Amino acid sequence: MNSSAHRAELGRFLKDRRAELSPRTVGLPETDRPRRVAGLRRDEVAVLASISTAYYTRLEQGRITPSTAVLAELVRALHLNDEQRDRLFALAGKGGGGTRRRAPQRAHPRLRAVLNELSVAPGMILGRYLDILAWNPMAAALFDTDFAKIPPSRRNYVRRLFTDPAMRTLYADWEESARNAVSVLRQQAAACPDDRRLTALVGDLAVSDDQFRAWWGGRHVAPRAGGTKAFNHPVAGALTLGWDALTCMADPDQQLVVWAAEPESRAYEGLRFLSSWAVHQQDGPASDAAA
């Protein structure tokens, strides 16, 4: 089959798949607008895949070949299973590019050693896609969460931001924090568009949360430097903490994020109080998925 025939077959594949889906299936609101075609409209697929309607139309017409990044977005938007995903990549001439799996990350020992030394400052080690790899008792106290009870496959910082209602009140600037997290995740998706776990995470959040879906298609860029975050803690009260991140040189896909306060400040006293409270909540050094 030549490239033109492949593109035509790819277009038919996309058209048939969107005909099988409904707005409700992919998390779009139902409307009273008459539907002239079965399933999703082209413009709806384009929105879900963060591409223009004109671009998607050319795909279905077999006029262009999509990039790997666009293919990854279409896999998520059209809720393709592994077999359908492989078929899509093959028709686009990308071979097995959609089948790569990554080994689970473990918190690096050097970052864990630093994390274990933090007594008053909350800290956690975040991996690729902002997975929570390890945390200290102060982080569990700050986020008022027993991370050990969350299955490792769902122990993800972005997922917690959008699925845990308490996070929306804990962060005084939840919207800014959530938009920044989505931006970081989007940058990682651009670097690893064929990662199935990332595709599944983005797909789950896009279906379940309107704000995530809207921000995922945006162009907001998160600041790279550290800064300050304001928290409304249910026990310690208002806390304004500085934060920074230490990237692991041996594994740049993971970093230690620390929240701290100036000594003698009101926030520092709040952390000291939280430290005393944390002793009764969780004993022992930093924990991770192996704990």
Side-chain angles (χ1 to χ4, degrees):
M1 188 183 295
N2 59 33
S3 59
S4 177
H6 268 106
R7 290 196 301 268
E9 182 62 23
L10 173 64
R12 286 191 291 270
F13 176 88
L14 293 173
K15 185 175 181 179
D16 290 344
R17 179 54 183 166
R18 70 178 171 90
E20 297 172 348
L21 300 172
S22 69
R24 180 175 298 177
T25 301
V26 297
L28 292 175
E30 297 279 5
T31 67
D32 296 330
R33 178 181 173 186
R35 307 189 72 83
R36 295 182 296 174
V37 296
L40 299 177
R41 297 189 300 268
R42 285 175 173 172
D43 63 305
E44 291 172 329
V45 176
V47 168
L48 291 170
S50 302
I51 57 180
S52 71
T53 302
Y55 183 93
Y56 180 76
T57 299
R58 292 197 295 274
L59 284 177
E60 282 202 359
Q61 292 172 342
R63 295 163 54 192
I64 57 175
T65 300
S67 66
T68 301
V70 170
L71 289 173
E73 290 292 335
L74 289 170
V75 169
R76 176 184 59 78
L78 295 172
H79 291 224
L80 302 185
N81 59 31
D82 288 350
E83 182 180 350
Q84 292 168 325
R85 178 192 182 100
D86 292 345
R87 175 65 173 161
L88 178 69
F89 273 76
L91 290 173
K94 304 300 182 182
T99 62
R100 183 161 64 93
R101 295 181 183 273
R102 286 187 166 193
Q105 272 185 305
R106 299 288 295 274
H108 195 278
R110 287 200 288 272
L111 286 189
R112 281 187 55 83
V114 177
L115 181 61
N116 286 337
E117 293 299 317
L118 302 176
S119 57
V120 178
M124 63 171 59
I125 299 174
L126 299 179
R128 68 176 73 103
Y129 319 141
L130 302 185
D131 288 334
I132 302 172
L133 304 181
W135 60 93
N136 65 359
M138 281 297 291
L142 176 63
F143 291 97
D144 196 19
T145 300
D146 186 350
F147 293 107
K149 291 184 177 180
I150 303 174
S153 62
R154 302 186 68 80
R155 196 184 292 144
N156 177 276
Y157 179 73
V158 186
R159 188 185 293 277
R160 300 296 299 171
L161 276 173
F162 283 92
T163 63
D164 182 358
M167 294 287 275
R168 296 175 184 258
T169 55
L170 175 65
Y171 275 99
D173 58 349
W174 178 86
E175 181 169 323
E176 178 186 354
S177 298
R179 285 174 64 90
N180 287 343
V182 171
S183 173
V184 171
L185 197 64
R186 190 172 58 243
Q187 293 173 46
Q188 295 184 354
C192 305
D194 58 349
D195 190 286
R196 289 181 175 178
R197 186 172 179 278
L198 174 60
T199 299
L201 171 64
V202 173
D204 286 349
L205 293 177
V207 168
S208 62
D209 192 279
D210 292 341
Q211 288 174 297
F212 179 91
R213 184 166 60 249
W215 295 337
W216 183 258
R219 294 294 180 265
H220 175 74
V221 177
R224 283 292 187 180
T228 59
K229 287 294 175 185
F231 296 89
N232 296 315
H233 196 272
V235 174
L239 298 171
T240 299
L241 305 176
W243 71 274
D244 213 325
L246 172 66
T247 299
C248 180
M249 297 300 293
D251 182 2
D253 280 343
Q254 58 179 280
Q255 57 184 354
L256 171 62
V257 181
V258 179
W259 293 266
E262 292 290 334
E264 310 304 326
S265 67
R266 183 178 181 279
Y268 183 78
E269 293 305 315
L271 286 181
R272 284 172 57 92
F273 171 77
L274 197 58
S275 177
S276 299
W277 178 73
V279 169
H280 303 289
Q281 305 298 313
Q282 179 179 345
D283 295 324
S287 304
D288 63 9

